[in-house]
Amino acid sequence: MGKRDELIAKYAEDLKTKCGMDPDMDLLTKVTIGCGPAIYDADAATVAASQDSELETVKNNFLIKKLGLADGPELMEGINKAMETYGKSERNKYRAVVYYILTKHFGKEAVYS
């Protein structure tokens, strides 16, 4: 099993245990691949949920550019809901897991098909 496969397994475990979601492994794999090399960098692999600038980056680079959503207050509401789903007390929120939750939340799975 390669490094990426190990990470995908770890993300799936987070989705099951911390988010209470049964992950669509095909979608999770595609979302993880879409994160590119960021998943291998300790700092870039996680989302700093307490930093507004980080949440803006998620909104602009993922929701607007990747998923093609129009900017509006519902984007930040979706991000905040994803953070709550992951658990506010959870320090390490993996980027691929957050992106997966957001993809499902906004019904944008087709972006990865």
Side-chain angles (χ1 to χ4, degrees):
M1 184 149 72
K3 180 78 172 141
R4 185 173 72 200
D5 293 331
E6 290 171 17
L7 289 169
I8 291 169
K10 183 163 58 171
Y11 301 154
E13 189 58 30
D14 263 23
L15 281 164
K16 285 178 195 157
T17 60
K18 296 174 183 168
C19 305
M21 299 173 87
D22 190 24
D24 171 343
M25 292 307 292
D26 188 45
L27 179 63
L28 180 58
T29 300
K30 289 174 180 173
V31 170
T32 302
I33 292 168
C35 289
I39 61 170
Y40 304 111
D41 179 282
D43 186 46
T46 57
V47 173
S50 59
Q51 293 178 6
D52 289 340
S53 61
E54 175 79 0
L55 299 181
E56 279 294 320
T57 300
V58 170
K59 183 179 88 167
N60 293 324
N61 293 355
F62 183 69
L63 295 180
I64 296 172
K65 289 182 184 167
K66 178 70 180 170
L67 298 187
L69 296 167
D71 195 0
E74 66 281 352
L75 298 188
M76 211 37 94
E77 288 167 16
I79 290 171
N80 289 331
K81 183 147 175 37
M83 295 306 158
E84 282 175 29
T85 299
Y86 214 139
K88 289 196 182 293
S89 62
E90 189 55 46
R91 282 203 51 202
N92 291 327
K93 293 179 175 67
Y94 292 108
R95 187 169 303 279
V97 175
V98 171
Y99 285 8
Y100 175 89
I101 295 169
L102 288 169
T103 301
K104 295 291 262 185
H105 174 80
F106 287 107
K108 287 295 197 171
E109 294 91 340
V111 169
Y112 290 100
S113 62

